[in-house]
Amino acid sequence: MNRHYYISDDLDDLETVESELEANGISTEQIHVLSEKDADVEQHHLHDVPSFMKQDVVHSGEIGALIGAVLAAVVLGGAYLLGWTASAAGWVPFVFLAIVLFGFCTWEGGFFGIQVPNAHFRNFRQKLKEGKHVFFVDVEPEQESVLDRVIQHHPSLRDAGTGAASPHWVVAWQQKWHQFKRTI
């Protein structure tokens, strides 16, 4: 999947664009609006970015987990190489320490991520402060022409580039989840 970013200051037009994209086979879960005016976005019935995803919790948590995995490996490898595992306690304290280090580093990474904007959205910080909205769409390669055709009819949208999209399985899971919620 590819992610296409657009900048706009017209929520009415974004609502129209979202409706046209959905009518042409692009699901709601593929369309998002990033804005500092969450109430206005909700009032226009646009699919906004959850506040959790506006922060860098996931990315920073992954970095923390990687650091924790390295530290856990160092603890386990060091204990083995130094012969400390041959004691009466064996591996238990070192495995426990490795698990604690891994968990703490992952938690600390996520905690750090709460304090910083999402790495994917940092480039748009100034535009958001100016009151503009970032409209982005995750599309499969075969949906590119649909997106281009719809966007052509909306000159208020300014192209802001492309980036890495949510994996296909994440979008599919979100679609199934929303379908499940509608049936209940």
Side-chain angles (χ1 to χ4, degrees):
M1 292 188 105
N2 297 317
R3 179 172 285 176
H4 294 268
Y5 293 98
Y6 301 93
I7 305 288
S8 177
D9 54 4
D10 186 356
L11 286 174
D12 293 324
D13 192 37
L14 290 181
E15 189 173 7
T16 304
V17 171
E18 184 172 314
S19 296
E20 289 177 16
L21 289 172
E22 289 171 352
N24 284 291
I26 296 177
S27 70
T28 304
E29 292 80 12
Q30 293 174 260
I31 305 167
H32 300 279
V33 176
L34 176 65
S35 177
E36 289 190 350
K37 300 176 181 175
D38 292 334
D40 293 343
V41 170
E42 188 175 329
Q43 183 180 5
H44 282 81
H45 307 291
L46 293 165
H47 190 233
D48 65 339
V49 176
S51 42
F52 176 79
M53 295 307 292
K54 289 180 182 180
Q55 305 310 115
D56 205 32
V57 176
V58 175
H59 180 252
S60 296
E62 289 172 345
I63 292 171
L66 182 64
I67 292 169
V70 169
L71 289 176
V74 167
V75 165
L76 294 174
Y80 175 74
L81 292 174
L82 294 172
W84 293 345
T85 57
S87 70
W91 283 95
V92 174
F94 304 106
V95 170
F96 181 72
L97 178 59
I99 291 169
V100 168
L101 280 172
F102 177 77
F104 177 76
C105 289
T106 303
W107 173 79
E108 188 64 32
F111 186 68
F112 174 77
I114 289 173
Q115 303 170 45
V116 295
N118 189 313
H120 297 292
F121 305 142
R122 287 186 191 143
N123 297 341
F124 303 114
R125 200 173 330 160
Q126 185 59 38
K127 294 290 184 189
L128 292 170
K129 284 182 182 177
E130 294 171 6
K132 303 215 182 300
H133 316 284
V134 178
F135 182 79
F136 60 95
V137 186
D138 296 339
V139 291
E140 299 285 354
E142 61 271 7
Q143 294 174 320
E144 295 276 350
S145 61
V146 171
L147 177 64
D148 292 340
R149 191 172 55 249
V150 170
I151 296 299
Q152 269 183 340
H153 300 295
H154 298 276
S156 71
L157 292 176
R158 289 185 309 283
D159 188 11
T162 59
S166 297
H168 176 76
W169 65 269
V170 171
V171 174
W173 180 85
Q174 288 175 335
Q175 290 170 342
K176 288 183 196 270
W177 174 250
H178 289 137
Q179 183 180 16
F180 173 73
K181 287 191 331 188
R182 281 189 291 264
T183 59
I184 291 180

